[in-house]
Amino acid sequence: MSQPNLYESEITGEFAALCGGAGGTSNAESCLTLAELTGGGYALGDSKPEGAGRQLRMSEAEITTFATEWLAGNRGPSA
């Protein structure tokens, strides 16, 4: 069975802003935007003006794998 083309899926609601990158700052310049797609998956965007209208789309499995691996590689030393 082939995977659906996520770029053909509709966005189901508003984008939510996930902020706090760029060294722990929480201004709008360090936000990732995220919205669910009809049929599953997510659209990721950039809150910066130069990122307007650009999206990366991932299935639930892809975004979960990405987040898990990114966190594993970017956590500071254990206390």
Side-chain angles (χ1 to χ4, degrees):
M1 188 166 134
S2 66
Q3 295 288 328
N5 182 341
L6 297 176
Y7 289 91
E8 293 176 356
S9 298
E10 296 286 325
I11 295 172
T12 62
E14 296 293 319
F15 277 87
L18 305 171
C19 304
T25 63
S26 60
N27 64 39
E29 287 291 309
S30 62
C31 297
L32 170 75
T33 59
L34 181 72
E36 289 188 73
L37 299 172
T38 301
Y42 298 90
L44 290 85
D46 185 349
S47 63
K48 295 176 193 70
E50 57 271 15
R54 297 181 183 169
Q55 296 176 1
L56 173 64
R57 295 188 176 199
M58 296 178 158
S59 68
E60 183 175 348
E62 290 169 331
I63 199 169
T64 300
T65 299
F66 170 79
T68 301
E69 291 181 13
W70 186 88
L71 286 170
N74 288 291
R75 287 191 176 137
S78 298

